[in-house]
Amino acid sequence: QVQLVESGGGLVQPGGSLRLSCAASGSIFKINSMGWYRQAPGKQRELVATFSGGGTTNYADSVKGRFTISRDNARTTVYLQMNNLKPEDTAVYYCNAEGLYNNLRSFGVWGQGTLVTVSS
């Protein structure tokens, strides 16, 4: 199995910053993609920022220039630096990873989610 452990959410004022972390562990042979999604109340889950094959990064238009995704050298931990936060960034942020187990079967897993609230 593969587990994702997220941390770093919380309450922040508009214009403030937060950094989210997501660490993957378990029987991982290879991670093909890893990143962040979010779901605001009453809305569908949406992509925020991800690493895909080859290290390509993808960002939602709404966060470009404000959020930065990065990862560690082992490529099993991803970070999301969120700057200039806006009230509309309020959501539960979920980490996602897809790849191969050690037995070369594919996996796709979600973290438990971490709440980010942007409010004065």
Side-chain angles (χ1 to χ4, degrees), residues 42-108:
K43 294 187 177 181
Q44 290 188 331
R45 191 172 298 187
E46 63 177 1
L47 179 147
V48 178
T50 63
F51 277 106
S52 57
T56 302
T57 55
N58 303 285
Y59 291 93
D61 288 343
S62 59
V63 307
K64 285 180 180 177
R66 299 189 298 122
F67 292 10
T68 302
I69 190 170
S70 61
R71 61 187 178 184
D72 67 348
N73 288 337
R75 302 184 179 185
T76 57
T77 300
V78 292
Y79 307 94
L80 186 67
Q81 178 66 43
M82 304 185 293
N83 297 328
N84 190 22
L85 283 159
K86 303 176 180 181
E88 51 264 41
D89 295 317
T90 295
V92 178
Y93 284 69
Y94 296 92
C95 183
N96 172 266
E98 297 180 356
L100 299 175
Y101 290 112
N102 285 333
N103 62 10
L104 301 186
R105 297 184 68 176
S106 62
F107 70 82

Side-chain angles (χ1 to χ4, degrees), residues 7-21 65-68 80-87 89 93 115-119:
S7 62
L11 173 65
V12 63
Q13 292 186 341
S17 298
L18 282 175
R19 189 187 193 215
L20 306 182
S21 300
R66 299 189 298 122
F67 292 10
T68 302
L80 186 67
Q81 178 66 43
M82 304 185 293
N83 297 328
N84 190 22
L85 283 159
K86 303 176 180 181
D89 295 317
Y93 284 69
L115 178 62
V116 172
T117 303
V118 184
S119 175

